[in-house]
Structures are given as C-alpha cells and as structure tokens.
Amino acid sequence: MREQLKAAFTKFPFCLATYVCLIGAGWLLAFGWKPVKKDFPIYDSPIAESVAHDTAHKLGGRAWAVGNTGSMKPLLQGGEYVVTVSKFDEIEVGQILVYHASYNRNPIIHRAALKDKHGWLMSGDSAKVSESWSRVTMDNYLGTAVVGYRKP
C-alpha cells in the first residue's frame, strides 16, 4: 500500500492523474461549481392562468400551476403558471421539467441536472443536492417548461 501511494505522487502516468485530480478539487474549493441553468421567460399578467392555458393550447402543450414549496426559488416563487411541451428526446441539462415522482402524488417541477443510464437526475434550484434516488424517464415525464406567467 505504501508503494502504491508513493507511486501515485512520483511515477508517471499515475502522478499526472493524481495532480490533475488535486488541481480540480482545489479549483472547486476555491471557485465553487455553478449548475447550468436554461431558464424560460416569465411574464406578468393579471390573468396569468387564462393566458397560460391559451398559450399551452397554441403550442400543443399543457399549463401547470406551480405550488408554494420554494424548491425552485428564486426563479419560481410559487403561484405561477408554467407552460410545458412534450419533447423528451430534446431535453438538455439545465432545462426545467415537470414530472411524476414516486415520492409525491403531485407533479414536480425541477431542473434537469444530469443524465445517466437510468434517466434524468433532477434538482430544485434551492436544493444543495440533486434527487439521486429518482429519475425522470419517458414513463414519468410530463413536459419541458417553455414559458411562465405570474400575477403582478
């Protein structure tokens, strides 16, 4: 074990990998990591719900009322209406999706953080960690948010 540890710092190519990892860890500690965010426009309207449903109809999508959980603050405060379209194959990291989750009976609206072989990992903007216990797949996906409306 002692020789392996020594080789990690002194023998090529092991030392190169070790130093690259240390530099990367140092960079994250010094400067942090910011998630990718692909926000949609949010418009003020005194008739937000009606406008959202009209927009959803025109786009062939669906309008959703956003709950007051605070999980997507600061973008979504709660009480907004979000319009989604169904484009599962076009999802990108940072987009906001609506989906069914096994741990909640109501649809969830969160940001796509990472895709793995099981589906999309999601995260609320105000969360410090992603939802690693659940994935968004074609089976529980309800739509990708494209526009939002809130009452002024």
Side-chain angles (χ1 to χ4, degrees):
M1 177 70 168
R2 187 174 182 195
E3 288 302 315
Q4 289 174 329
L5 186 58
K6 183 178 176 184
F9 286 94
T10 60
K11 297 202 183 205
F12 188 81
F14 309 112
C15 63
L16 181 62
T18 300
Y19 290 118
V20 166
C21 288
L22 289 172
I23 290 167
W27 181 272
L28 288 174
L29 288 172
F31 302 106
W33 174 78
K34 299 254 189 249
V36 175
K37 291 186 177 184
K38 295 185 178 178
D39 294 339
F40 51 85
I42 299 177
Y43 301 104
D44 289 337
S45 172
I47 53 171
E49 182 176 8
S50 177
V51 174
H53 285 287
D54 288 347
T55 303
H57 180 72
K58 289 176 187 171
L59 296 176
R62 186 164 174 190
W64 303 89
V66 177
N68 294 301
T69 66
S71 69
M72 286 300 292
K73 284 185 177 183
L75 179 66
L76 299 172
Q77 305 297 313
E80 296 91 350
Y81 293 89
V82 172
V83 176
T84 62
V85 293
S86 185
K87 295 185 176 186
F88 184 80
D89 293 332
E90 298 176 24
I91 296 172
E92 297 177 7
V93 170
Q95 287 184 310
I96 296 173
L97 311 180
V98 176
Y99 59 98
H100 281 294
S102 59
Y103 57 87
N104 198 322
R105 65 182 176 90
N106 294 320
I108 307 288
I109 182 165
H110 280 164
R111 195 175 298 277
L114 177 73
K115 185 177 184 184
D116 66 12
K117 66 181 180 179
H118 303 291
W120 285 94
L121 279 98
M122 304 301 291
S123 182
D125 283 357
S126 63
K128 295 189 188 298
V129 295
S130 66
E131 299 165 2
S132 60
W133 57 87
S134 180
R135 302 287 190 280
V136 173
T137 65
M138 182 68 95
D139 295 334
N140 63 345
Y141 169 78
L142 298 173
T144 302
V146 293
V147 65
Y149 298 94
R150 68 170 51 111
K151 292 182 180 177

